[in-house]
């Protein structure tokens, strides 16, 4: 997670709490099957996004391959979360240049050597998961990176995602 001006106490607390959450997850390198789901709950402006960004990064480092982040009920909330996740985890942000073209710019972890292609997002700022989008996507197993979905908590979207995953 990029340093957003957090002091050392906040960073240490975030590190400790995400370590505790990771301890509750299954080991993706184990020969035993496991199924774990998690939920991060908090008040507005309580650090939820930083918490799940840190948790997703640690999960990726541990070998978790698929992350589905359910982000609010509205497209606006999903887009806000997608934008933060792209900055915090993918390491990209969209900047408008002098010619009003949108171009991706590396930020945060995206500036680290070897980070490129560590995360594949199956949702975009402009586009939640849908049947039409699913038709254009490659199978999850074709990626060596973590695969990330940022979706609305919406029955049709989650149904399409479940159908596509199965």
């Amino acid at each position: 997670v990029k340093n957003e001006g957090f002091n050392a106490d906040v960073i240490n607390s975030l590190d400790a709490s995400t370590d505790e959450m990771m301890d509750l997850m299954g080991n993706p390198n184990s020969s035993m099957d496991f199924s774990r789901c998690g939920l991060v709950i908090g008040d507005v402006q309580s650090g939820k996004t930083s918490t799940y960004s840190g948790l997703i990064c640690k999960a990726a480092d541990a070998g978790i391959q698929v992350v589905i982040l359910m982000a609010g009920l509205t497209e606006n909330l999903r887009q806000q979360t997608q934008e933060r996740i792209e900055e915090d985890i993918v390491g990209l942000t969209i900047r408008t240049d002098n010619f009003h073209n949108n171009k991706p710019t590396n930020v945060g972890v995206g500036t680290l050597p070897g980070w490129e292609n560590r995360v594949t997002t199956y949702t975009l700022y402009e586009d939640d998961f849908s049947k039409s989008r699913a038709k254009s996507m490659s199978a999850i197993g074709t990626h060596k990176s973590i695969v990330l979905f940022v979706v609305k908590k919406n029955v049709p979207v989650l149904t399409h995602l479940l159908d596509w995953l199965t």
Side-chain angles (χ1 to χ4, degrees):
V1 176
K2 66 183 185 218
N3 184 341
E4 297 181 1
F6 295 142
N7 68 39
D9 289 340
V10 171
I11 292 170
N12 291 335
S13 174
L14 183 60
D15 185 40
S17 65
T18 53
D19 279 348
E20 285 179 41
M21 291 179 221
M22 283 297 298
D23 289 343
L24 299 172
M25 296 175 70
N27 180 352
N29 300 313
S30 171
S31 60
M32 297 176 57
D33 288 342
F34 70 92
S35 177
R36 297 283 193 277
C37 297
L39 180 64
V40 176
I41 298 174
D43 294 323
V44 173
Q45 298 296 312
S46 65
K48 291 182 302 297
T49 306
S50 296
T51 299
Y52 54 68
S53 292
L55 187 59
I56 292 169
C57 287
K58 287 182 179 187
D61 289 344
I64 298 292
Q65 296 177 320
V66 178
V67 172
I68 301 169
L69 179 61
M70 293 187 285
L73 297 171
T74 66
E75 183 59 15
N76 185 37
L77 288 173
R78 191 205 67 78
Q79 287 176 332
Q80 288 175 18
T81 303
Q82 180 83 36
E83 185 174 34
R84 283 282 307 273
I85 289 299
E86 286 179 10
E87 290 177 359
D88 291 354
I89 307 218
V90 180
L92 288 175
T93 189
I94 301 297
R95 303 274 189 232
T96 303
D97 65 19
N98 293 335
F99 304 103
H100 302 288
N101 296 316
N102 292 336
K103 64 179 210 170
T105 304
N106 289 346
V107 294
V109 295
T111 62
L112 298 174
W115 187 259
E116 50 285 330
N117 301 319
R118 293 257 340 250
V119 181
T120 302
T121 56
Y122 273 50
T123 52
L124 303 171
Y125 178 81
E126 309 84 18
D127 196 12
D128 198 347
F129 193 85
S130 65
K131 280 184 180 180
S132 60
R133 181 152 173 71
K135 289 178 184 176
S136 68
M137 293 187 239
S138 57
I140 289 175
T142 62
H143 296 282
K144 294 183 180 175
S145 63
I146 187 171
V147 175
L148 179 63
F149 299 86
V150 179
V151 297
K152 287 188 298 287
K153 291 183 261 185
N154 173 296
V155 171
V157 170
L158 294 172
T159 300
H160 296 321
L161 179 57
L162 179 62
D163 290 346
W164 184 78
L165 287 170
T166 54

